[in-house]
Amino acid sequence: MRANSFTIIWLAILLLCACEQKQGLPPADIKPSSTVSPISVQPSQATPTSTPSDKPLTSLPSQSSVFLTSPTPVTPTSLPSNTPTLPPSLVNGFRTNAQFSAPTQLVVDYNDILYVADSGHHAIRKILPNGQVITLSGNGFPGLKDGPVAQAQFNNPTGMIFDKNEVLYIADTGNHAIRKISKDGIVSTVVGKGLAGFKDGLISEALLNSPTNLAWSQDGALLITDTQNYRIRKLIFGQGIQTFLYYQIGLLEAITTVLKDKLYAIGGERFLELFSNGEYKEIKLDLFIKLSSPRGITSDNQGNIYITNIHRYGRVLRIDKNGKAEDLVDFYFGPESGYIYNPEKPTTLQGPAGIAVNSQGEIYVAEMFQNRIIKLIPKPGAMIHSLEIFAGK
């Protein structure tokens, strides 16, 4: 009796499976494709069709190594009719009432207006001189869409830089693309297709993999930290894109130009000086505690370099023209159980990421883990600065 019951149940299962196949149902082992992480991206496991060169290219090749890590490009997010224009957490208004989500990078324009890559909201925000925060572009939902700033979409934007014509270039990390916003408010894609991959050559065909930061070279080209490709790429306008530096040791997170003639980059636990021929030199900083996961780098008009360390130490370093490094904020170095953080009156930083210095020498830091912008206030006769909550809650 038991054998007959078992046989009947088994036949029923087989018939059900056969019906599902006839109806066109997918096999059970097919899973939906994963989406890009909004904050961090794991290194690609894709295998290139040929091994990329570890030397910078002196000319644009007719063919280059190509590999893709995403099967389909990112498409614009289609919002249902009942979806609000902005998500509840994307709040504009006076800077201390505004809300951010994982702000990663900062930049100031030629009028010292501060711009924020609000990565978690997939938006570019702007803090006006009167203290009002506005959303320049992005609607809080990830996508790849060009057009007027009110309609355009981004996916985890990070590094930003202005050109001499006040056009804002953006490393759209989750879209594996470089975007730009013109002075008249039009967003367009400079390079990238929404696919993660590697390809040098024509701008229309080039591929990036999680670009995170931007800088200008001496010859006017745009340098891109192509993080998951372990490279710095060089975009020559009107010509194409080539590999400027291939760095096998680790990920390069950010890059900056100092006094228009020197290039520096950070990544892993390293601080590098870059040269125009694509070579580099590691700079050893005289620090009691070495760098750990540096994330942001910038410079001021005096030639000082500033670096943020996003690790739990929460450091902000200033390196002067003579190479002397000093900490600008208190940081915690000890067991996690002994760490006490007061979010209302912070004396240390949680997740300092982007950093910007305006023409007056005022220093701003994107405190990514607390979703806000911090201003460093100098103390008379002291190197350590106090912290002011400048924007965000």
Side-chain angles (χ1 to χ4, degrees):
M1 185 67 177
R2 290 182 179 176
N4 291 335
S5 299
F6 179 82
T7 301
I8 292 171
I9 292 172
W10 179 244
L11 289 173
I13 292 173
L14 290 177
L15 288 172
L16 179 61
C17 292
C19 291
E20 287 181 347
Q21 290 179 357
K22 289 182 179 179
Q23 293 172 9
L25 297 176
D29 58 348
I30 293 182
K31 300 179 180 179
S33 58
S34 59
T35 57
V36 179
S37 169
I39 301 301
S40 61
V41 184
Q42 297 301 317
S44 167
Q45 301 299 318
T47 302
T49 55
S50 61
T51 304
S53 170
D54 60 356
K55 298 180 180 179
L57 301 178
T58 55
S59 61
L60 296 177
S62 57
Q63 294 181 343
S64 60
S65 303
V66 182
F67 60 90
L68 304 179
T69 59
S70 296
T72 56
V74 178
T75 55
T77 302
S78 177
L79 303 180
S81 58
N82 60 349
T83 301
T85 304
L86 299 176
S89 61
L90 206 168
V91 177
N92 292 318
F94 190 71
R95 53 186 172 83
T96 52
N97 295 322
Q99 293 184 31
F100 300 87
S101 177
T104 53
Q105 295 295 340
L106 306 173
V107 70
V108 292
D109 67 10
Y110 295 102
N111 297 311
D112 278 346
I113 295 175
L114 187 65
Y115 291 71
V116 182
D118 193 5
S119 300
H121 282 138
H122 313 288
I124 306 299
R125 315 286 292 281
K126 184 176 179 180
I127 305 178
L128 301 175
N130 63 2
Q132 293 295 313
V133 175
I134 64 172
T135 299
L136 177 63
S137 189
N139 60 8
F141 300 91
L144 177 53
K145 183 178 181 181
D146 289 338
V149 289
Q151 300 173 13
Q153 288 180 290
F154 299 84
N155 188 351
N156 186 24
T158 51
M160 302 174 291
I161 196 169
F162 281 94
D163 70 4
K164 60 183 179 181
N165 297 317
E166 299 183 55
V167 175
L168 179 61
Y169 288 79
I170 302 156
D172 195 3
T173 305
N175 281 325
H176 314 289
I178 305 301
R179 317 284 294 284
K180 70 177 182 180
I181 303 178
S182 65
K183 288 185 67 175
D184 57 355
I186 302 299
V187 176
S188 57
T189 299
V190 180
V191 62
K193 303 174 181 294
L195 290 167
F198 172 78
K199 184 180 182 181
D200 280 329
L202 297 176
I203 293 176
S204 60
E205 299 177 359
L207 296 172
L208 307 171
N209 192 347
S210 304
T212 55
N213 212 255
L214 306 169
W216 296 111
S217 66
Q218 288 178 278
D219 57 5
L222 185 63
L223 298 176
I224 305 163
T225 52
D226 192 9
T227 302
Q228 294 296 329
N229 278 328
Y230 297 84
R231 285 168 169 79
I232 294 175
R233 312 283 289 281
K234 184 175 184 178
L235 193 159
I236 304 171
F237 293 94
Q239 297 185 37
I241 190 169
Q242 63 187 45
T243 296
F244 176 76
L245 171 68
Y246 180 35
Y247 188 69
Q248 295 176 290
I249 299 175
L251 301 179
L252 292 172
E253 292 283 355
I255 186 172
T256 192
T257 305
V258 180
L259 296 178
K260 298 183 180 180
D261 63 352
K262 290 187 177 181
L263 287 168
Y264 294 89
I266 52 172
E269 298 178 348
R270 294 172 174 84
F271 174 45
L272 307 176
E273 181 178 1
L274 311 180
F275 303 100
S276 59
N277 61 358
E279 296 182 356
Y280 65 89
K281 176 180 70 175
E282 182 175 350
I283 300 175
K284 299 291 186 180
L285 298 176
D286 185 17
L287 297 170
F288 172 67
I289 301 172
K290 65 182 180 180
L291 289 176
S292 178
S293 301
R295 181 61 59 90
I297 186 170
T298 193
S299 61
D300 62 21
N301 53 20
Q302 302 298 313
N304 298 305
I305 300 171
Y306 299 80
I307 296 174
T308 60
N309 199 122
I310 201 170
H311 197 267
R312 65 186 176 91
Y313 307 145
R315 304 173 75 179
V316 178
L317 297 172
R318 179 166 60 199
I319 305 165
D320 66 19
K321 292 180 289 187
N322 299 316
K324 181 181 179 182
E326 296 176 299
D327 283 284
L328 296 186
V329 300
D330 283 323
F331 64 95
Y332 179 74
F333 181 62
E336 295 283 358
S337 59
Y339 181 66
I340 299 175
Y341 179 81
N342 182 353
E344 302 300 324
K345 296 181 179 179
T347 58
T348 57
L349 294 170
Q350 284 198 330
I355 184 167
V357 184
N358 66 19
S359 63
Q360 306 302 312
E362 296 174 321
I363 306 169
Y364 299 89
V365 175
E367 191 180 23
M368 190 171 76
F369 297 165
Q370 289 292 326
N371 303 314
R372 61 193 183 186
I373 312 303
I374 299 293
K375 183 178 180 179
L376 274 57
I377 308 298
K379 295 179 180 179
M383 179 57 61
I384 298 298
H385 291 52
S386 59
L387 306 180
E388 173 189 296
I389 301 173
F390 182 73
K393 290 186 176 182

